[in-house]
Structures are given as structure tokens and as C-alpha cells.
């Protein structure tokens, strides 16, 4: 099973030269700000691709996918796109799970969640982002998130620090999926491996928002999963 991995195309999707494969996955930030015309243009293009399955999650730039999620889900359904949001699907014997969530930064971004424990009025302590990672099933084969786990392909050029989610890292190390695909940190596009898990930062755009990175192709033997 050949999986084509892309992310962070930021409206440059039509410029990408895509290789042949079985399944394509896009891990978010396909738009600049998630305006309706951007979402419509992207979903029509993505849905027209000649892959057997087209899997998609949103990213922090795709603001309209959170503000008007029902409308966006319909765009995906109408264009034969599998849209995942804290949800999963089994394709060709492979269990995919996707989430758009990233640790909160700045203001006004989509799908940002606090990483610290919060204490609401009734005194029950909870962690907003952990609530999302706890939903990931232990038997997932391919995990799709928009942001990286802490310390894995997540080092930023300007801040010179690792900005991935430490709680996501704990979850991934615990469940050890075959493949974890994400984007978000453009300058760290590439692959890494920890234990049995292959990590892919599939960002197409560079730090300067130039769509010059190539799609990453990963092969999985689904008959042995």
C-alpha cells in the first residue's frame, strides 16, 4: 500500500506534482485563512485526484473548517473526500485516525487547544488537549495530526525551540502506530523513526511559504497489519 503524504499546501495545491499511489493524505493548512472560496477550490481539486482514497484533516490556518464545520463536511462528502476530525476509518485493512488539534499559540487560529490543566468552577481538573489525544485508539496504524509531537520534526527556525505537543508524544510512544503523519512546522519537512513508528512531516511549503518541498511517499504492507 503506497501512501502519498502532503501537508501545508496553503492554496498552492494545484502547483504540486503528485506521484502515483493508492491513498493520499493531507494533514491540514490547505488554505491561508479558511475562507469559503479557498475551501471550495481545494475540495474540488482534492476530490478530483485519481487516488483510490483521499483522506483529509484540517489545520490551524483552515479557520472556516471550525467555524462552519457542517458546511465543510458537506464539501468533503460532495467531493468524495474522507474528512477526519477526532475520528477514524479503516481502509484496505489499515486503521487511520485524524485530528486537526494543535497546542494553542497566538490568537484567532483554528483547532487550538490549551495544553495546561484547567480547573473550571466546580473544581474538576482536566486538560483540554489531552481530551483529544485520549480518543486515539490503541490499535491505530496511521495517525494523522496537524501538529507534531514534542521533539520530532518540530524545531522552529526563528524561536530555535521544539514546539510539538509533549502530551501527544506520550500518546504516540505508548500506542506506537506504524506511521504518524503531520505538518505545521514547515522548516522540518522530512522523516524520522522512533522504535517501530515512522514519523513524517509532510509540509509542502517551506518556511518562506514556497511550495517547493516534494510529497513524501511511504509504503505499508497492509496484509501484515
Amino acid at each position: 500500500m503506497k501512501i502519498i503524504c502532503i501537508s501545508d499546501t496553503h492554496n498552492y495545491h494545484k502547483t504540486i506534482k503528485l506521484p502515483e499511489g493508492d491513498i493520499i493524505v493531507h494533514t491540514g493548512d490547505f488554505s491561508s485563512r479558511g475562507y469559503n472560496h479557498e475551501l471550495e477550490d481545494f475540495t474540488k481539486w482534492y476530490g478530483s485526484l485519481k487516488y483510490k482514497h483521499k483522506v483529509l484533516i484540517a489545520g490551524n490556518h483552515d479557520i472556516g473548517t471550525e467555524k462552519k464545520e457542517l458546511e465543510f463536511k458537506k464539501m468533503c462528502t460532495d467531493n468524495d473526500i474522507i474528512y477526519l476530525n477526532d475520528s477514524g476509518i479503516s481502509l484496505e485493512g489499515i486503521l487511520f485516525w485524524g485530528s486537526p488539534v494543535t497546542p494553542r499559540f497566538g490568537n484567532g487560529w483554528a483547532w487550538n487547544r490549551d495544553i495546561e490543566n484547567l480547573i473550571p468552577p466546580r473544581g474538576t481538573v482536566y486538560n483540554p488537549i489531552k481530551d483529544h489525544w485520549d480518543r486515539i485508539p490503541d490499535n491505530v496504524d496511521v495517525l494523522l495530526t496537524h501538529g507534531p509531537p514534542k521533539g520530532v520534526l518540530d524545531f522552529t527556525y526563528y524561536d530555535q525551540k521544539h514546539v510539538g505537543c509533549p502530551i501527544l508524544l506520550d500518546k504516540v510512544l505508548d500506542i506506537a502506530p506504524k506511521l504518524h503523519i503531520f505538518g505545521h512546522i514547515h522548516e522540518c519537512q522530512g522523516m524520522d523513526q522512533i522504535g517501530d513508528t515512522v514519523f513524517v512531516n509532510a509540509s509542502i511549503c517551506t518556511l518562506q511559504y514556497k511550495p517547493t518541498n516534494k510529497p513524501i511517499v511511504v509504503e505499508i504492507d497492509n496484509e501484515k497489519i
Side-chain angles (χ1 to χ4, degrees):
M1 176 65 61
K2 188 177 289 186
I3 300 175
I4 312 303
C5 309
I6 60 175
S7 187
D8 296 81
T9 51
H10 293 286
N11 289 329
Y12 289 108
H13 43 273
K14 293 178 182 177
T15 70
I16 305 168
K17 185 176 180 180
L18 292 167
E20 294 183 354
D22 302 295
I23 297 176
I24 187 168
V25 300
H26 192 305
T27 57
D29 278 6
F30 43 83
S31 69
S32 62
R33 300 290 291 181
Y35 298 120
N36 197 65
H37 70 274
E38 294 178 324
L39 304 184
E40 288 182 346
D41 182 70
F42 173 79
T43 51
K44 286 179 181 178
W45 171 81
Y46 198 58
S48 72
L49 299 179
K50 305 303 180 184
Y51 295 99
K52 189 171 183 180
H53 304 289
K54 291 150 284 191
V55 184
L56 175 69
I57 65 171
N60 60 285
H61 276 260
D62 307 320
I63 296 169
T65 65
E66 185 171 25
K67 289 187 174 181
K68 297 181 179 180
E69 188 179 12
L70 290 179
E71 293 180 22
F72 181 68
K73 283 182 177 179
K74 187 176 187 305
M75 289 183 197
C76 291
T77 300
D78 290 346
N79 288 285
D80 193 30
I81 296 167
I82 299 167
Y83 172 66
L84 300 179
N85 182 357
D86 286 334
S87 57
I89 189 169
S90 182
L91 301 172
E92 312 294 325
I94 300 171
L95 179 59
F96 290 77
W97 185 273
S99 176
V101 169
T102 53
R104 189 177 304 282
F105 67 100
N107 294 304
W109 299 110
W111 306 111
N112 277 195
R113 300 294 184 265
D114 292 311
I115 202 168
E116 300 86 4
N117 289 324
L118 300 179
I119 305 176
R122 294 189 178 183
T124 302
V125 177
Y126 73 102
N127 184 293
I129 206 166
K130 187 174 182 296
D131 287 348
H132 293 273
W133 305 147
D134 284 345
R135 301 173 198 176
I136 302 171
D138 291 344
N139 63 334
V140 65
D141 299 305
V142 179
L143 176 62
L144 312 176
T145 59
H146 179 57
K150 184 82 169 183
V152 184
L153 302 171
D154 70 331
F155 195 74
T156 58
Y157 176 81
Y158 291 116
D159 294 333
Q160 290 288 292
K161 65 181 181 180
H162 294 282
V163 296
C165 179
I167 303 172
L168 177 59
L169 176 65
D170 289 343
K171 181 67 176 184
V172 173
L173 293 179
D174 181 49
I175 65 177
K178 299 289 184 183
L179 184 61
H180 182 191
I181 309 168
F182 47 87
H184 193 41
I185 308 304
H186 297 187
E187 57 266 49
C188 281
Q189 195 252 15
M191 299 177 67
D192 199 357
Q193 184 166 355
I194 299 176
D196 294 327
T197 301
V198 173
F199 296 87
V200 175
N201 181 327
S203 298
I204 294 297
C205 282
T206 65
L207 179 63
Q208 295 77 27
Y209 282 78
K210 303 294 184 181
T212 55
N213 290 332
K214 294 180 180 180
I216 292 177
V217 181
V218 181
E219 292 197 45
I220 289 184
D221 188 350
N222 52 311
E223 294 181 358
K224 293 183 180 180
I225 291 179

